[in-house]
C-alpha cells in the first residue's frame, strides 16, 4: 500500500484509499489541491466507468441476442423483467411515444450502468487496489486506485449535468425555442412583465438545484457506504495485528456481513432513484406551464 515500512495508521489507511489516481491533460500524475479543479481528472473513475458501461451494454445486447419466443431462461427472464419495469415507468411519466423511443432505452442503460458502478463497492476494499499497488508503479502510475465511480462526485455530477442537457433539448424540441423561452420568464409566478426577472431567477435556481441534488444524492450514499466498508476493514486489520484479539475478528465478520446485505439494497435503490429522477426531469421538460 505504501512504500514506507511502518504499518499505516487508521487515518493514513482511509486517506490513502480515498485518493484517486489523478492525471492532468498532459497525462501527468497530479494531486488535487482545491475543492474544484478542472485542470485534472480522476483517471481511475473514468476507466472503471467506461469499462462497466461497455459491460452493461454487452449484457443487455446478450439478453436481446439470446431472446427466444419459448420459455425464457433465467438471464432472459431477468432482462425482460427489467425492461418491462423501466418501460412501464417511462410510460407513466412521458406521454410522448416518440420521446420514449429514446428515453426508455436511456433509462434502462442508466439503471444497469449505475448498478454495475455501485456494485464495485461490494468487492473487498483492498482486493483491486492491492493488485494495482503491484502493477501500477511498474506501468508508471502512482499506487492509487478507487474502483467505485459513483463515489466520485465528478462522475455523478457529470451524469446529472447530461440529464440537464437532455431536459433543455426536449424543452426546446417539444415547446420550441420561443415557447420554452417564454416559459422561463412566465412561470411559476405568472406572465406579467414585472414578474419576469423573478420567474427567470426561480427557473435557474430550479435547474441548478435539481442537477446538484440529482448527482449529490447518488454520490453521498455511495461515498458513505465506501467509508463504512473501510472502517469494517480496519476492524479486521486490528485483529490481524493482534491489537484487540477475538472481539475485533468477530465484529469484523458480523459487521461486514450485515452491512454487505444492507448495501445490496442501497446499490439497487440508488440506481433506481437516479433512473426515476432522470425520467421525471425529462418528463417535466415535456409539460407546458
Amino acid at each position: 500500500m505504501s512504500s514506507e515500512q511502518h504499518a499505516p495508521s487508521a487515518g493514513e489507511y482511509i486517506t490513502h484509499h480515498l485518493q484517486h489516481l489523478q492525471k492532468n491533460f498532459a497525462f501527468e500524475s497530479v494531486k488535487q489541491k482545491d475543492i474544484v479543479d478542472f485542470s485534472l481528472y480522476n483517471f481511475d473513475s473514468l476507466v472503471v466507468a467506461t469499462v462497466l458501461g461497455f459491460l452493461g451494454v454487452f449484457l443487455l445486447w446478450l439478453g436481446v441476442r439470446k431472446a427466444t419466443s419459448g420459455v425464457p431462461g433465467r438471464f432472459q427472464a431477468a432482462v425482460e423483467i427489467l425492461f418491462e419495469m423501466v418501460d412501464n415507468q417511462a410510460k407513466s411519466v412521458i406521454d410522448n411515444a416518440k420521446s420514449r423511443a429514446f428515453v426508455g432505452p436511456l433509462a434502462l442503460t442508466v439503471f444497469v450502468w449505475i448498478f454495475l458502478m455501485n456494485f464495485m463497492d461490494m468487492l473487498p476494499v483492498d482486493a483491486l487496489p492491492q493488485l494495482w499497488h503491484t502493477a501500477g508503479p511498474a506501468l508508471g502510475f502512482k499506487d492509487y486506485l478507487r474502483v467505485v465511480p459513483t463515489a466520485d462526485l465528478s462522475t455523478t455530477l457529470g451524469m446529472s449535468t447530461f440529464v440537464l442537457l437532455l431536459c433543455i433539448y426536449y424543452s426546446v424540441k417539444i415547446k420550441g425555442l420561443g415557447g420554452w423561452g417564454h416559459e422561463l420568464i412566465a412561470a411559476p409566478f405568472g406572465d406579467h412583465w414585472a414578474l419576469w426577472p423573478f420567474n427567470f431567477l426561480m427557473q435557474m435556481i430550479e435547474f441548478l438545484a435539481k442537477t446538484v441534488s440529482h448527482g449529490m444524492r447518488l454520490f453521498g450514499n455511495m461515498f458513505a457506504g465506501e467509508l463504512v466498508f473501510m472502517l469494517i476493514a480496519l476492524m479486521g486489520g486490528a485483529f490481524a495485528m493482534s491489537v484487540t484479539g477475538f472481539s475485533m475478528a468477530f465484529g469484523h465478520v458480523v459487521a461486514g456481513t450485515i452491512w454487505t446485505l444492507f448495501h445490496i439494497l442501497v446499490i439497487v435503490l440508488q440506481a433506481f432513484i437516479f433512473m426515476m429522477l432522470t425520467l421525471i426531469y425529462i418528463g417535466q421538460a415535456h409539460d407546458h406551464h
Side-chain angles (χ1 to χ4, degrees), residues 67-68 70 72 75-85:
T68 61
F75 181 65
Q76 180 183 335
V79 172
E80 289 179 356
I81 291 171
L82 183 59
F83 175 83
E84 289 179 8
M85 182 269 291

Side-chain angles (χ1 to χ4, degrees), residues 31 60 112 132 143 152 171-172 182 206 208 224 231 253 257 261 274 282:
K31 272 191 179 183
L60 292 174
V112 173
W132 182 247
D143 57 344
D152 179 2
S171 293
V172 174
H182 179 263
E206 180 183 353
L208 179 63
L231 293 173
V253 173
T257 302
L261 294 175
F274 196 97
I282 295 177

Side-chain angles (χ1 to χ4, degrees), residues 18-58:
L18 291 180
Q19 174 62 44
H20 283 282
L21 172 59
Q22 296 179 320
K23 295 286 184 179
N24 60 21
F25 290 96
F27 206 68
E28 299 169 334
S29 295
V30 291
K31 272 191 179 183
Q32 184 173 344
K33 296 180 180 178
D34 301 318
I35 295 177
V36 178
D37 189 347
F38 292 107
S39 66
L40 55 86
Y41 56 93
N42 296 332
F43 184 64
D44 46 9
S45 294
L46 186 63
V47 171
V48 175
T50 301
V51 171
L52 293 177
F54 280 112
L55 176 61
V57 171
F58 173 74

